Structure formats: C-alpha cells, structure tokens
Amino acid sequence: MLATQAYELTREEFHKAVKAAAPYRGGRRLAAATVVLTAVSHAAFLYLGSPPSPLMPAAAAVLVILAVAVPPLITAQVYRAARGEGEGRCVLDGGGVACHGAEEVQRMPWSAVTGFRETDEMVVLLLRHGLKQGLLAVPKRVLTGPGEAELLGAVLDERIGRG
C-alpha cells in the first residue's frame, strides 16, 4: 500500500497534468485537417469555375473554434470544481486507487485505470468509468518517503503498464 500526503494541486500543476494526459490532442489535429480540406475543396471549386458554398468555410471555422477554444474552457471549469473540494490524498493498494477528499472517498478498481503518464514533477493516472474519462494527478512533491516516487512508478508499471 502506498499513501500520499494530503495535497491540493496548484493551477500550474493541474495544467501540466492535463498537458501530460493530452486529452484534446486529436481535436486540434481534426481542426487542422478540416481547414486544409476546406481550403483544397474551395480551390477545386474555383478551378472548376463553380461558385464554392459559403457554408464550407463557416463549418470549418466552427470546428476550429470548438477544437481550439473549448478545451481550455473545459479545463478551467474542471480546475475550479476540483479546487473547491480542498485537500485530498491518494491511496494505492491491491484493490485499486482511493482518493480521500475532505468529505468523501472515491474508490476506483485497477480496471478503471487505463494508463499513466509520468513527468519530472508528477504522475498522471488516466481513468475511465463507463463513457466518462478522467485523470488523477499525483505530484511527486507529496511522495516524501524514501523511494516512494520509484515505488509508485513500479506499482503502476506492474498493474497497468505505460498508457
């Protein structure tokens, strides 16, 4: 069993965790591909002498706005919600991961942890419960015991492997 000290993520740590988990990477690629496809089809219409539809650039603009502007808004909203819960701590044991907040305990079996990312400053667990996806960031600053950061990495490698 491995238990962390009580901690609350800073805004910077939260953004680093989201960046490490990279949940929105595909949306930005889709937006870029949409812009390229729209430009190519627009050029093809002009080359063939037909007037291009004004809906195509408008649809591309909407997709770009959704892919670029909405994810940071969602991230900020999730951070505000998590910050309101106060300090918490995590416990990893044979049954899974438990998050102890100020008022409740959330328990997730190992099957809900789909992978993890490790950076110099933190370990980010990738979670899935039904259709919901989430992440759990554990800053290495709260792993103060001798070798706890290495132990956490070894436990996660053994249980779920790198995601």
Side-chain angles (χ1 to χ4, degrees), residues 73-132:
L73 294 174
I74 293 171
T75 301
Q77 180 68 25
V78 170
Y79 174 73
R80 281 192 294 276
R83 186 182 61 196
E85 294 178 11
E87 285 189 337
R89 65 185 188 91
C90 295
V91 177
L92 288 84
D93 58 24
V97 181
C99 299
H100 300 266
E103 298 178 9
E104 66 179 282
V105 175
Q106 208 174 22
R107 185 132 187 82
M108 294 157 281
W110 283 112
S111 60
V113 183
T114 60
F116 75 98
R117 309 282 194 276
E118 187 172 4
T119 68
D120 292 339
E121 296 95 16
M122 71 180 57
V123 176
V124 181
L125 284 83
L126 308 174
L127 309 168
R128 179 177 288 282
H129 181 69
L131 295 176
K132 296 179 183 177

Side-chain angles (χ1 to χ4, degrees), residues 2-157:
L2 177 68
T4 68
Q5 293 179 347
Y7 68 94
E8 188 170 353
L9 287 178
T10 65
R11 183 180 214 64
E12 181 181 323
E13 288 174 331
F14 185 80
H15 286 289
K16 285 182 180 180
V18 170
K19 186 175 181 180
Y24 307 120
R25 185 179 300 153
R28 291 181 182 214
R29 288 181 184 155
L30 177 63
T34 302
V35 169
V36 169
L37 183 61
T38 302
V40 168
S41 63
H42 195 77
F45 275 111
L46 290 176
Y47 178 75
L48 295 173
S50 344
S53 170
L55 294 177
M56 289 172 49
V62 167
L63 283 174
V64 168
I65 290 170
L66 289 175
V68 174
V70 171
L73 294 174
I74 293 171
T75 301
Q77 180 68 25
V78 170
Y79 174 73
R80 281 192 294 276
R83 186 182 61 196
E85 294 178 11
E87 285 189 337
R89 65 185 188 91
C90 295
V91 177
L92 288 84
D93 58 24
V97 181
C99 299
H100 300 266
E103 298 178 9
E104 66 179 282
V105 175
Q106 208 174 22
R107 185 132 187 82
M108 294 157 281
W110 283 112
S111 60
V113 183
T114 60
F116 75 98
R117 309 282 194 276
E118 187 172 4
T119 68
D120 292 339
E121 296 95 16
M122 71 180 57
V123 176
V124 181
L125 284 83
L126 308 174
L127 309 168
R128 179 177 288 282
H129 181 69
L131 295 176
K132 296 179 183 177
Q133 291 181 328
L135 59 90
L136 173 64
V138 179
K140 290 184 179 177
R141 66 179 164 81
V142 300
L143 301 170
T144 57
E148 278 188 346
E150 292 79 16
L151 177 62
L152 176 59
V155 167
L156 292 173
D157 273 335

